Amino acid sequence: FQIGVVSWGIDCTGRYPGAYARVAVFETWIRAQAALFPPPPPPPPPPSPSPPPPPLPPLSAVPSSGVLVVAGNDRFNSAPPLACVRASEASTLSTIDGEPIAIQCCAFVNGVESCRRSIDGTQAGCVGGVPPRASTYNDAQLACARAGLSLCTQSCADDGCTYNNYPVWTQRPCPLPPPPPPPSPLPP
């Protein structure tokens, strides 16, 4: 409990006079005044941590025939594919002829594929980096899923990120080989 309050004074050395108020005399009044102003409420508790993001959808399996890697500049999707990647290579193959395979993602709106090589339309938003880092099929699926997209079935030529100069992943299945011809009938 406080004993006194300096009303006025220069220092406490006693060289100069000072005026002091004896607090005990005003105790009843101080307590009455303090009751008029209750202490502020305690601060609210900190906010709860954000919930974890929803889990990513499961990655789709590589079709039994494999998936196509196509040229990034195949504007009309008419050039022969650069490679057919089998399931056994989906988690390891990331280059074709020494060039990194780039990631391009698509949104499907009303059944129409819309290319997204960049998430936000800038070089910084390019899904696979600039220049593209070598990515496996599994890497590409995961990168697209994180952006709420999926791999494209086509080349997204001229959609930025300099990916026209690189092979790109698709989710388009490799064509199945033609069935073998029927056996020749045996002579009677």
Side-chain angles (χ1 to χ4, degrees):
F1 192 70
Q2 187 164 355
I3 300 297
V5 174
V6 177
S7 296
W8 60 268
I10 296 178
D11 65 18
C12 297
T13 62
R15 289 183 287 163
Y16 302 100
Y20 303 91
R22 193 175 305 266
V23 175
V25 174
F26 298 101
E27 180 180 356
T28 305
W29 180 85
I30 291 171
R31 290 187 187 276
Q33 296 304 308
L36 295 175
F37 304 100
S48 300
S50 299
L56 293 173
L59 301 179
S60 58
V62 176
S64 60
S65 63
V67 291
L68 294 179
V69 174
V70 299
N73 63 357
D74 186 6
R75 182 170 297 118
F76 302 108
N77 293 292
S78 57
L82 300 177
C84 175
V85 179
R86 306 286 182 212
S88 61
E89 303 168 306
S91 63
T92 57
L93 184 72
S94 61
T95 62
I96 300 286
D97 294 331
E99 292 290 330
I101 306 174
I103 301 170
Q104 55 180 15
C105 305
C106 281
F108 290 86
V109 181
N110 298 326
V112 176
E113 195 171 50
S114 174
C115 291
R116 304 274 195 284
R117 285 182 172 174
S118 173
I119 300 304
D120 59 8
T122 68
Q123 288 284 88
C126 291
V127 181
V130 177
R133 61 189 164 274
S135 301
T136 66
Y137 181 77
N138 295 349
D139 295 337
Q141 275 195 309
L142 190 58
C144 291
R146 284 185 179 133
L149 303 167
S150 59
L151 279 170
C152 302
T153 61
Q154 63 182 344
S155 169
C156 297
D158 301 327
D159 271 3
C161 300
T162 69
Y163 294 174
N164 277 12
N165 303 324
Y166 298 93
V168 293
W169 285 110
T170 73
Q171 65 169 322
R172 190 169 36 175
C174 298
L176 293 172
S184 308
L186 296 174

